[in-house]
Amino acid sequence: MSNAYLCPNCKTNRTRFNLIAQVPQSVKLDPSTGSVVNQYENAEDLDPFHIPYNGAERLVQCAACGVIGEEASFIKRAQHNPR
C-alpha cells in the first residue's frame, strides 16, 4: 500500500482505515442441510455451473464513518482532492 486514501463518504478521513483481505472459498452446499458437500481448491476444479470469484482482493473501511468500499475508490478520491 503506497497510495494515499481519502474516504469517499465522509471526505475528511485520510489517516484511519481498516484493510479487509478478501479470501474467497468456493464450496458446494447440500441444499437441505447447508453442510459443505465439496470444497474446491482451484478455479480449474469448479463444476461448469460454478462461476469463480472475480471481485476485489482488498476492501477498505473508513474507521471514522464506517463505509466499506473497493480500494480504488479511496485512492481516486485522494487523487482528485490532494492536500
Side-chain angles (χ1 to χ4, degrees), residues 4-6 11-16 77-83:
Y5 288 171
L6 174 59
K11 300 174 185 76
T12 58
N13 180 26
R14 292 181 182 267
T15 58
R16 296 177 314 277
R77 175 61 75 171
Q79 290 171 344
H80 293 312
N81 295 293
R83 289 204 130 192

Side-chain angles (χ1 to χ4, degrees), residues 3-11 13-14 17 56 58-62 67-81:
N3 295 303
Y5 288 171
L6 174 59
C7 178
N9 185 54
C10 66
K11 300 174 185 76
N13 180 26
R14 292 181 182 267
F17 299 96
R58 181 186 343 206
L59 294 178
V60 177
Q61 180 182 31
C62 175
V67 72
I68 298 174
E70 290 193 17
E71 184 179 34
S73 64
F74 287 79
I75 293 170
K76 289 287 185 191
R77 175 61 75 171
Q79 290 171 344
H80 293 312
N81 295 293

Side-chain angles (χ1 to χ4, degrees), residues 38-73:
N38 195 358
Q39 185 170 349
Y40 303 101
E41 299 298 322
N42 301 322
E44 299 84 33
D45 297 339
L46 296 175
D47 62 40
F49 297 105
H50 197 123
I51 298 171
Y53 179 76
N54 61 358
E57 287 185 27
R58 181 186 343 206
L59 294 178
V60 177
Q61 180 182 31
C62 175
C65 73
V67 72
I68 298 174
E70 290 193 17
E71 184 179 34
S73 64

